[in-house]
Amino acid sequence: IPEGSTVCGVILSSKKTNITNMCSSRVAHPLLISLVNIKMKVRNKALLHTFLLLALMAIPQFIHLVPRMCSVLQECLFHQCLDIVLKPLKQAACFG
């Protein structure tokens, strides 16, 4: 960490969510971000809006003969999307 930099921890959260209000029977992974230094008692109250929407990642439907392979492909794509979305955060961690 360069001299004069400040360390700031973040919390990422994601859970498969129905977005049927916007689209017909679709699901997605909303990726939420919050700061670590916010007390858990405060962070867990939804009305205080301590989590911000960072990305909304679609869940694709793969067609494969082996059902387990579809899950592996979904997980791989999800993690590749995470790498893209979090690239600026990773750069800030490296260079300050």
Side-chain angles (χ1 to χ4, degrees):
I1 298 175
E3 189 174 329
S5 298
T6 302
V7 176
C8 184
V10 296
I11 297 173
L12 298 173
S13 175
S14 180
K15 184 179 181 181
K16 186 190 272 189
T17 305
N18 288 327
I19 54 172
T20 52
N21 292 343
M22 295 182 282
C23 306
S24 59
S25 68
R26 302 275 191 224
V27 290
H29 282 290
L31 182 62
L32 306 171
I33 189 169
S34 183
L35 294 174
V36 171
N37 61 351
I38 299 173
K39 292 183 180 181
M40 187 169 52
K41 208 164 48 170
V42 174
R43 191 183 322 118
N44 289 340
K45 292 183 180 178
L47 292 174
L48 297 178
H49 304 289
T50 56
F51 279 92
L52 297 175
L53 181 63
L54 186 61
L56 186 62
M57 295 184 279
I59 301 174
Q61 296 296 319
F62 291 101
I63 300 170
H64 197 278
L65 297 176
V66 181
R68 176 68 184 135
M69 192 61 176
C70 294
S71 297
V72 170
L73 290 170
Q74 284 180 348
E75 291 170 14
C76 184
L77 182 60
F78 179 76
H79 283 93
Q80 286 179 348
C81 291
L82 277 178
D83 281 340
I84 293 168
V85 170
L86 298 176
K87 187 176 181 178
L89 194 60
K90 290 177 183 180
Q91 288 175 344
C94 289
F95 305 117

